[in-house]
């Protein structure tokens, strides 16, 4: 997993924004991949109608569910990465399944496209979400090969806004280096889903939003320019994967 955190931190610190000539940058979104079913979220309105100890118990249970989701996610991802019996094709497929199950890609995709989502046609929106999913799966599945014994340690979880839970963790490298990692998760359809990851203070969703917006702005506000660049990046990943 060092490939995820190192590359992301380097890209952010360099302030190198996306340009169509070089394709979309590989950011750290799909960093864990696991299907996990957590506890049912309790809404704020429901909590206020409960006795205090019941409300606190529900909040604690929600936080525990989120922590367990991330823990299971890391264990499943490490299992895939460290399984030497898997060929590249099978590894990519397993990663795809875990990735799709673990990340709220439609919500993330709409957020990172920002105001251009509202300006895009339904056909453009559908194409963007399809390309966004495919690109992120390919980016991170190719990096699975660089796994070198890193471990994820989940530390705490706190309820946030809109039913979200912030899970604090850190990546422990064999060298002894520890990298802070924050997850924003919520439940959708009874399952936990990740909506953002922050590595050493850098938000994946915000970084992608800035980069995607820069591409569109540099092409006169045309969403099609971003879609074309994303397809080129996907083609490159397929050819080199």
């Amino acid at each position: 997993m060092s490939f995820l955190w190192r590359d992301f931190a380097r890209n952010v610190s360099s302030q190198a924004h996306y340009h169509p000539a070089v394709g979309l940058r590989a950011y750290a979104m799909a960093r864990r991949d696991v299907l996990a079913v957590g506890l049912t979220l309790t809404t704020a309105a429901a909590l206020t109608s409960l006795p205090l100890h019941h409300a606190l118990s529900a909040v604690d249970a929600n936080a525990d569910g989120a922590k367990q989701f991330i823990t299971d996610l890391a264990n499943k991802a490490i299992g895939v990465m460290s399984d030497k019996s898997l060929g590249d094709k099978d590894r990519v497929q397993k990663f795809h399944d875990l990735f799709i199950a673990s990340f709220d890609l439609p919500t993330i995709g709409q957020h990172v496209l920002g105001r251009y989502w509202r300006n895009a046609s339904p056909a453009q929106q559908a194409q963007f979400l399809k390309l966004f999913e495919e690109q992120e799966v390919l980016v991170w599945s190719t990096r699975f090969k660089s796994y070198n014994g890193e471990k994820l340690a989940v530390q705490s979880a706190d309820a946030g806004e809109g039913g979200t839970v912030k899970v604090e963790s850190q990546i422990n490298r064999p060298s002894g280096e520890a990298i802070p990692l924050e997850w924003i998760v919520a439940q959708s359809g009874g399952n936990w889903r990740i909506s953002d990851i922050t590595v050493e203070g850098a938000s994946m969703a915000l970084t992608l939003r800035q980069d995607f917006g820069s591409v569109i702005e540099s092409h006169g506000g045309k969403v099609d320019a971003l879609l074309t660049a994303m397809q080129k990046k996907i083609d490159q990943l397929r050819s080199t994967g």
Side-chain angles (χ1 to χ4, degrees), residues 12-90:
V12 171
S13 63
S14 67
Q15 298 299 313
H17 289 296
Y18 167 92
H19 189 279
V22 296
L24 294 173
R25 298 184 308 171
Y27 288 105
M29 189 177 88
R31 310 191 176 184
R32 301 288 169 258
D33 317 277
V34 60
L35 177 61
V37 179
L39 302 171
T40 302
L41 278 174
T42 306
T43 64
L47 289 176
T48 57
S49 66
L50 296 173
L52 180 58
H53 70 280
H54 286 164
L56 291 176
S57 296
V59 171
D60 291 342
N62 191 46
D64 288 343
K67 288 170 63 177
Q68 189 61 52
F69 165 66
I70 296 300
T71 299
D72 291 344
L73 180 63
N75 291 337
K76 282 288 185 70
I78 289 172
V80 172
M81 287 188 283
S82 60
D83 188 348
K84 303 302 181 184
S85 69
L86 291 176
D88 289 346
K89 183 176 180 180
D90 290 338

Side-chain angles (χ1 to χ4, degrees), residues 50-177:
L50 296 173
L52 180 58
H53 70 280
H54 286 164
L56 291 176
S57 296
V59 171
D60 291 342
N62 191 46
D64 288 343
K67 288 170 63 177
Q68 189 61 52
F69 165 66
I70 296 300
T71 299
D72 291 344
L73 180 63
N75 291 337
K76 282 288 185 70
I78 289 172
V80 172
M81 287 188 283
S82 60
D83 188 348
K84 303 302 181 184
S85 69
L86 291 176
D88 289 346
K89 183 176 180 180
D90 290 338
R91 194 181 306 279
V92 169
Q93 183 59 52
K94 284 182 176 294
F95 178 83
H96 174 272
D97 294 344
L98 291 170
F99 186 88
I100 299 306
S102 303
F103 285 81
D104 189 352
L105 289 177
T107 297
I108 297 171
Q110 292 181 36
H111 175 72
V112 299
L113 199 59
R115 62 189 177 92
Y116 296 107
W117 175 265
R118 296 186 296 274
N119 299 333
S121 68
Q124 288 174 321
Q125 292 175 350
Q127 186 179 0
F128 172 77
L129 290 177
K130 178 178 179 295
L131 293 173
F132 183 66
E133 173 185 314
E134 186 171 6
Q135 174 191 284
E136 294 306 312
V137 168
L138 286 171
V139 163
W140 300 114
S141 62
T142 58
R143 283 167 168 72
F144 267 22
K145 300 176 183 178
S146 301
Y147 174 68
N148 191 34
E150 293 86 354
K151 302 293 184 181
L152 180 77
V154 176
Q155 299 164 317
S156 64
D158 297 298
E161 297 180 356
T164 62
V165 178
K166 179 174 69 175
V167 180
E168 301 283 356
S169 66
Q170 67 180 30
I171 297 296
N172 295 319
R173 291 178 173 171
S175 64
E177 181 183 8

Side-chain angles (χ1 to χ4, degrees), residues 212-232:
F212 286 175
S214 295
V215 177
I216 298 173
E217 289 172 10
S218 67
H219 289 79
K222 296 180 179 178
V223 174
D224 283 338
L226 175 63
L227 301 179
T228 298
M230 293 175 75
Q231 185 61 63
K232 288 181 179 179

